[in-house]
Amino acid sequence: MKSNIVLLICLLIILGSCLNNKSKVDSKKEIRYLIEKSESKNFNPAKIEKYLDSAYQKLLLKKNDSVTRNLYFQTALKYYEQNSLDKYLIVTKKINELAIEQNDSTHIAKSLYYLGDYYEAKTQLDTAFNYYNQSGKIYKQLNDTLNYGNLSLFKAGILYDVGNFTEGEIQGINALKLFSKIKNKRLIYESNVIIALCLKELNNYEKALEYFRVALNLLDQLENEKFPIEKIIKSRIACYNNMGLIYEKTRNYQEAIKLYNLGLKTKILKQKHPKLYAMLLNNLAYSKMKSRDLKGVENLLLESLQIRNSLQILPGIVASKIKLGEYYLYKKDTSKALIYLKESLDLAYKIKSNSDILQALKLLTKNDSKNKIYYSNLYIKVSDSIQNVERLTRNKFARIAYETETIEEQNQKLSKRNTYISSIAITLIFVFGIIFIFYRLKTKNKELLSTQKQQAANEKIYQLMLQQQSETEKARAEERNRIAMELHDGIVNSIFTTRFNLLQLEATANEKKEQLVKELEKAENEIRRVSHDLTQNLLFEDKTLPEILTNLIDAQKNQYNTKFDLSVDKYINWSTITSANKIHIYRIIQEAIQNTNKYSKAEKCFVMLLKTGDKMTIRIWDNGIGFNSEKVKYGIGLKNIKDRTKTLNGELKITSNKPNGTTIEIIF
C-alpha cells in the first residue's frame, strides 16, 4: 500500500514538471508569435508597436536564460526598425543588465553594440563611439572576427563624420585586415571606401584613388555573384562621384567629367535614383565650368537644383546654390551670383553645415564689396568656432579610446599579477626587495650626480647671460655714440653754418638764398638717413608688430575725424616673419593711412591682417571719395607701397571708385 502511494506521488511530480515545461514552451511560442505578427505589412505602426509591447511585457516574466535574451534582441531590433528608439533603448539596457547578471560575454558585447546603434541614430557620436569601443574589445577577446571588424568599420565611419580622418583611416585599415581573413567581399568593399574617403580628406589623393579603384573592382565581383543590383548601382555611382571630386581637387577636370558622365549613363538613373542623378549633374556642371567649357552648364545646374528642391534635399540645395553663385560670378553677373550665395548661406546656417557656411562666406567676402568687412569678420568668427569644436571633438574621441585601452591594460596587468603572486609570492617578494633597495641606491646616486651637473650648467648659463647682457649694452652704447657723432659732425654743424649765413644774408641776395636752401635740403636728407638707421634697429626692439600697429592706429587724427580700426588675425605666426618684412608691413600700412588722411575725406578706415591658408593678406579700406586707379599717376607713396610689395614677393591690388571708397590689398 505504501509503495503504491509513493509511486502515485512520483507520477504526479513528473506530470507537473512536464506540464510546467510545456507551459514555458507554449509561453515562449506565444512571444515568438507576437514578434512575427509585428512583421506584418498590413498593420499600421501603432498596431505593430502594440504587439511588440505585449511581447516585451511577457518577456519580463521569463527566466533569464539565453533563449529569453535572444527574444529580447529580436524585440529590440523590431523597435529599431519601427524607429521607436526610446523603447529600443529600454529593451537594450534590460538585455545588457541580464547578460551581465549571467556573465554572458557574447550577449554583453551584442547589447553594447545595440546601444552604440541607438546613440549613433541620435547623432550622439561620442557616446556611440564609446559603446562600440567597449563592444569591440569583448568581441576581440572572443575571437569574433566578423563582429570585431564591423565595430572597427563603424568607428571609422564615426571618426570620419567628426573630422578625425587620421584615426578613421587606422580603424578602416583594421577592419580591412579582419574582413580579408574571412573573405567577406561586401565588407572588404566598405572598408576600402571608408579608407579612401579618409585619405581624400587628408589630401593623399593618389592613395585614395587606388582604394576607390579596388572598391570598384570588388563591386564588379559582387555583381557577378548576384549581389542586389540596386545596391551595386548606388555604390558604383558613389565611387565615381568621390573619384570625380578628387580629380576636381587636383584640377584634372577632364577626368572628373569622364567619371560623372560614366555615372550618368546608368540606365533609368533619373527615375529610380533622382538624388544621385542630381548630385552627378551638379558636379559635372562644376567641372565643365572649371575647364572653361560653359556649354550647357547653366541648364545642368538649374536642373540639379530643381530636382533637389522637389525632393527637399536641403544639403543638396545648398550645394547647388553655391555652384550657381560661382557660375554667375564666372559670367560676371555679380548681382545674380550674390542672390544665390546669400540664399545658400541662410540655408547652410539652418542645417548647420559648417563647410558650406565657410564656402559661402568666403565667396561673399571676396565678391560683395559693400558687405566685405561684415562677411570677412563673420568668416573669421565661424572658422575659429569650427576649429575649436573640431579640436574638442578630436580630444574627446582620443580620450575615449585612451580610457578604454587603459582599463583593458589595467585588467590584464591585474590578472597577470594575481597569477604570478599566487605561484611564487614569497620568493618574488624577497628578490624584488633586494632589487628595489639596490635600484633605489643607484637611482639616488644618479639623482645626486644629475643635480650637481644641473647646478654647474645653470651657473654656466647664468655667466653666459651676464656676458651677453654686457655685450648687448656695449653694442647699444656704441650705436648711440655713432648716431650722436653723425648728428653732431654732419647735421648740427651744417644747420649752424646755414643759420649763421642766413643771419648775414642781405635781402636782395637771391642766389645766395637758393644756395642756403639747398644746404638745408642736404641736412634734411642726412636726418632721414640717420632716422632710417634708427628705425631699422629700434622699431621692433621692445614691442610686437601688432602692438606697434595699434599705437599707430590710435595716434591717427585728421580734419575729417576719420574713425580708424585695426583687426589682426590671431592665427598669424609672427615668429616666422623676419624683422625686415615686418618693417615693410608697417611702412605699407603707415603710407596707406597717410594717403587716407590726406586725400580720402573718409568717415571710416579699417586695417586688417588676415591669415589665408599659407599666405598673409594686408587689407586697408576706407569709405572716402576714392579715385580712378587706372588714370591716377603713382606718386611717391603708392610707388613705395608697390616697391615694398615686390620686396615681400607679394601681389598688390588697388580698387577705388567714388561711391565705394578705396581698398588696398596685398597678398604674400
Side-chain angles (χ1 to χ4, degrees), residues 27 33 48 71 85 99 123 155 179 190 250 253 258 307 358 371 390 421 437 442 465 525 550 553 570 592 605 626 662:
S27 179
Y33 170 78
I48 290 171
L71 290 170
L85 294 180
T123 65
K155 288 193 287 183
F179 295 141
E190 291 182 7
T250 56
Y253 300 113
K258 286 180 186 177
I307 293 168
L358 287 176
N371 302 299
E390 287 178 349
I421 290 171
I437 293 167
K442 192 174 180 180
M465 287 173 64
N525 290 333
T550 301
I553 296 300
K570 66 179 181 180
C605 178
T662 303

Side-chain angles (χ1 to χ4, degrees), residues 240-241 244-245 248 253-265 276-301 303-304 308 323 327:
Y240 289 152
N241 185 66
L245 292 174
E248 277 185 14
Y253 300 113
Q254 294 305 319
E255 282 299 321
I257 290 167
K258 286 180 186 177
L259 285 161
Y260 297 140
N261 280 324
L262 200 58
L264 289 166
K265 286 179 182 177
L276 295 175
Y277 177 77
M279 176 184 69
L280 289 172
L281 282 184
N282 196 55
N283 292 337
L284 173 63
Y286 184 76
S287 285
K288 283 170 70 69
M289 180 182 75
K290 285 292 185 178
S291 65
R292 299 184 179 180
D293 176 13
L294 299 181
K295 185 178 179 181
V297 167
E298 185 176 18
N299 290 334
L300 290 171
L301 290 170
E303 184 181 357
S304 175
R308 286 168 162 175
K323 294 291 190 294
Y327 170 76

